[in-house]
């Protein structure tokens, strides 16, 4: 589960679907130091799990994940460069002029401008997107798609952005023009409602655009999961499987949607590579998200971020417009040609806020881990999942590194939590 507001901003900026992967044998054995015994020690058990990872795999995973830190910076700088280019060369103003020639209906002008903007930024952003989403993923052995299907997925993503981003921008620019003084409050409200709708429709209408979902019919897997669901007061009657292996070899699972669209989905890589204990531990983690109302809490958090973000935009947009508006031929905040500036200021906002947003998500992930341990009672299953996830996440970062860059607890901390749980529950027996 992700911070949905970043999803919305990703729609506004440019689309890159970060699918990735690399293969490692499924860990089904418990190392001797992690097996239950009278002198069980949680730290020693966690270290024993970490020692299962071959040095070469560890080096590769660290290189991949640390490269991601730099990519976050390059993405930010590259995107900022594109935005400044569109403003300085007055391409943004030219796109607005073209939109005005095409129609006199203002909402439609915003829509046409958005289509032009999306086309230009997708083309300019393509080299970095291809490196990041295709070549780098293959370089680390994480991707399963050839270039054709990958590009087709990107194309579908751009079309989705065209529709969703178009609707959001038409609404927002309408609000700005009608409510010149209070637009930032109403803009935050419109964005929040938009996010709620996106969360609602994502599992049913959006993810099926990229992947196929099927009902999981293997009672060996579904019976313990559904039993755990009943024991935890979760109304799920079925579990879904997703063909994630179409794009990646990563294992994952997720709980998505609200109310009736809520569903638990396991990806086929988890089902193929995970032991039964691991599958139970991962599913129990996802149930934790549901029982602890993380989707609703995320939406509350997003509302706070949206209000803060729009207040910052109100101040910073006016400031920049006073200085450079004439030079860029941007008429005002209600002029669609201001969009590259909005994206630039927004990416600064989210870049600075990255540790806060990651910490929000990581805290919820930790809660789901603890809930999942109590619900599944599979500490070794969780440890094995952490090792699988460690194929693309650094296992043992420093505390500051984890605070800034990690949107899940590090693999080492997840295993340590699981082993502490195991130590306490061994004593209780
Ligand atoms: Zn989670």
């Amino acid at each position: 589960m992700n911070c949905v507001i970043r999803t919305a901003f990703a729609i506004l900026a440019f689309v890159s679907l970060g699918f990735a992967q690399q293969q490692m044998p499924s860990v089904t054995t418990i190392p001797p130091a992690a097996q239950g015994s009278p002198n069980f020690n949680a730290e020693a058990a966690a270290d024993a799990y970490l020692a299962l990872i071959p040095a070469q795999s560890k080096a590769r995973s660290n290189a991949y994940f640390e490269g991601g830190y730099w990519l976050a910076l390059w993405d930010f700088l590259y995107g900022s460069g594109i935005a400044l280019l569109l403003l300085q060369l007055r391409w943004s103003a030219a796109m607005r002029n073209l939109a005005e020639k095409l129609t006199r209906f203002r909402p439609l002008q915003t829509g046409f401008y958005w289509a032009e903007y999306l086309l230009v930024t997708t083309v300019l952003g393509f080299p970095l997107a291809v490196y990041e989403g295709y070549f780098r993923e293959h370089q680390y052995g994480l991707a399963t798609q050839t270039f054709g299907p990958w590009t087709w997925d990107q194309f579908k993503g751009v079309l989705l952005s065209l529709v969703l981003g178009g609707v959001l921008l038409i609404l927002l620019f309408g609000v700005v023009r009608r409510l010149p003084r209070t637009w930032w409050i109403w803009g935050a409200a419109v964005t929040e409602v938009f996010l709620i709708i996106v969360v609602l429709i994502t599992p049913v209408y959006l993810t099926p655009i990229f992947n196929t979902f099927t009902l999981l019919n293997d009672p060996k897997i579904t019976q313990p999961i559904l039993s755990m669901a009943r024991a935890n007061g979760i109304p799920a009657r079925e579990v879904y499987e997703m063909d994630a292996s179409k794009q990646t070899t990563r294992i994952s699972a997720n709980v998505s949607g609200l109310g009736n669209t809520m569903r638990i989905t396991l990806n086929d890589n988890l089902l193929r590579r995970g032991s039964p204990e691991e599958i139970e531990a991962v599913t129990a983690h996802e149930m934790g998200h549901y029982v602890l109302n993380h989707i609703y809490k995320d939406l509350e958090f997003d509302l706070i971020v949206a209000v803060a973000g729009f207040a910052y935009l109100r101040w910073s947009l006016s400031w920049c417009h006073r200085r450079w508006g004439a030079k860029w031929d941007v008429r005002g905040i209600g002029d669609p040609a201001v969009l590259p500036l909005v994206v630039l200021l927004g990416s600064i906002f989210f870049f600075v806020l990255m540790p806060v947003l990651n910490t929000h998500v990581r805290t919820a992930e930790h809660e789901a881990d603890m809930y999942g341990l109590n619900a599944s009672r599979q500490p070794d299953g969780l440890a094995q999942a952490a090792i699988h996830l460690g194929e693309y996440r650094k296992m043992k970062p420093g505390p500051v590194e984890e605070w800034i860059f990690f949107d899940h607890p590090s693999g080492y901390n997840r295993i340590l939590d699981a082993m502490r749980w195991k130590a306490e529950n061994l004593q209780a027996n």
Side-chain angles (χ1 to χ4, degrees):
M1 188 171 57
N2 260 312
C3 195
V4 271
I5 199 149
R6 272 184 293 174
T7 315
F9 235 88
I11 291 166
L12 280 177
F14 38 79
V15 186
S16 72
L17 295 163
F19 292 115
Q21 199 54 319
Q22 125 189 25
Q23 202 90 20
M24 185 197 271
S26 173
V27 182
T28 48
T29 49
I30 302 174
Q35 285 167 13
S37 74
N39 43 17
F40 182 88
N41 175 283
E43 276 81 14
D47 287 338
Y49 263 111
L50 228 58
L52 289 176
I53 304 170
Q56 203 189 355
S57 307
K58 183 183 154 195
R60 187 154 78 155
S61 152
N62 285 357
Y64 176 75
F65 201 79
E66 286 163 9
Y69 306 162
W70 288 102
L71 274 182
L73 180 66
W74 301 135
D75 283 343
F76 169 68
L77 293 176
Y78 195 91
S80 302
I82 291 176
L84 285 171
L85 196 78
L86 296 186
L87 293 167
Q88 289 284 1
L89 299 179
R90 296 195 184 187
W91 287 8
S92 186
M95 292 193 286
R96 174 208 55 215
N97 294 344
L98 178 61
E100 285 176 350
K101 274 196 200 117
L102 291 171
T103 175
R104 295 180 63 175
F105 185 52
R106 293 199 87 175
L108 213 53
Q109 286 174 359
T110 306
F112 280 130
Y113 174 88
W114 170 239
E116 295 172 65
Y117 173 89
L118 196 59
L119 179 69
V120 171
T121 53
T122 302
V123 170
L124 292 177
F126 201 65
L128 186 58
V130 172
Y131 166 69
E132 199 169 321
Y134 185 78
F135 288 112
R136 184 168 181 265
E137 295 302 306
H138 277 280
Q139 184 192 334
Y140 282 93
L142 301 173
T144 56
Q145 271 176 317
T146 53
F147 194 68
W150 180 83
T151 310
W152 177 236
D153 270 357
Q154 303 307 301
F155 180 70
K156 289 194 283 189
V158 171
L159 286 188
L160 196 59
S161 299
L162 181 67
V163 175
L164 291 178
V167 169
L168 181 61
L169 284 182
I170 287 169
L171 291 171
L172 287 178
F173 276 107
V175 166
V176 172
R177 287 181 202 127
R178 272 169 193 76
L179 305 160
R181 253 200 281 253
T182 53
W183 64 265
W184 62 282
I185 300 172
W186 296 107
V190 165
T191 305
E192 177 75 4
V193 172
F194 177 82
L195 285 177
I196 292 170
I197 293 168
V198 169
V199 168
L200 269 171
I201 64 172
T202 292
V204 184
Y205 297 106
L206 304 188
T207 32
I209 295 173
F210 301 96
N211 288 92
T212 308
F213 292 80
T214 44
L215 267 181
L216 193 56
N217 269 328
D218 183 352
K220 267 202 307 240
I221 295 163
T222 55
Q223 264 173 14
I225 289 173
L226 292 173
S227 161
M228 202 155 61
R230 287 190 295 273
N232 286 275
I234 296 166
R237 275 171 294 275
E238 56 256 330
V239 182
Y240 288 84
E241 175 182 351
M242 187 183 100
D243 64 341
S245 60
K246 192 176 146 194
Q247 289 101 356
T248 173
T249 58
R250 288 178 190 222
I251 67 155
S252 79
N254 78 310
V255 57
S256 55
L258 292 172
N260 284 340
T261 69
M262 182 300 250
R263 57 176 64 185
I264 293 171
T265 310
L266 308 180
N267 85 16
D268 55 352
N269 296 318
L270 173 65
L271 291 166
R272 203 182 62 243
R273 301 175 60 202
S275 62
E277 294 82 6
E278 181 176 347
I279 294 171
E280 270 183 58
V282 170
T283 316
H285 166 102
E286 299 306 330
M287 288 177 182
H289 284 309
Y290 175 78
V291 174
L292 300 170
N293 290 313
H294 283 164
I295 293 182
Y296 300 97
K297 287 175 189 166
D298 266 7
L299 286 168
E300 285 168 22
F301 178 79
D302 292 343
L303 181 60
I304 296 167
V305 173
V307 171
F310 273 92
Y312 152 83
L313 273 183
R314 174 179 176 251
W315 164 79
S316 59
L317 278 174
S318 314
W319 191 87
C320 292
H321 186 256
R322 273 199 305 275
R323 266 158 197 75
W324 301 293
K327 189 178 169 205
W328 294 336
D329 190 18
V330 172
R331 294 170 198 150
I333 294 168
D335 175 3
V338 81
L339 188 63
L341 181 59
V342 175
V343 171
L344 175 63
L345 294 169
S347 62
I348 294 170
F349 181 76
F350 284 108
F351 190 74
V352 171
L353 234 58
M354 183 165 68
V356 177
L357 301 175
N358 278 341
T359 297
H360 166 76
V361 179
R362 195 177 61 248
T363 306
E365 293 299 335
H366 173 69
E367 289 173 7
D369 273 353
M370 300 320 285
Y371 186 94
L373 279 169
N374 286 314
S376 69
R377 309 185 65 79
Q378 297 287 8
D380 294 292
L382 185 66
Q384 288 165 9
I387 287 185
H388 272 139
L389 295 166
E391 290 166 12
Y392 53 89
R393 262 188 219 138
K394 192 173 178 178
M395 285 297 284
K396 203 176 178 184
V400 176
E401 192 180 4
E402 185 164 350
W403 181 72
I404 297 175
F405 294 111
F406 278 64
D407 62 0
H408 281 69
S410 67
Y412 177 75
N413 280 333
R414 301 181 95 167
I415 295 175
L416 190 57
D417 281 339
M419 292 303 110
R420 282 185 180 138
W421 188 97
K422 188 172 177 176
E424 297 302 327
N425 283 272
L426 280 173
Q427 280 165 19
N429 288 335

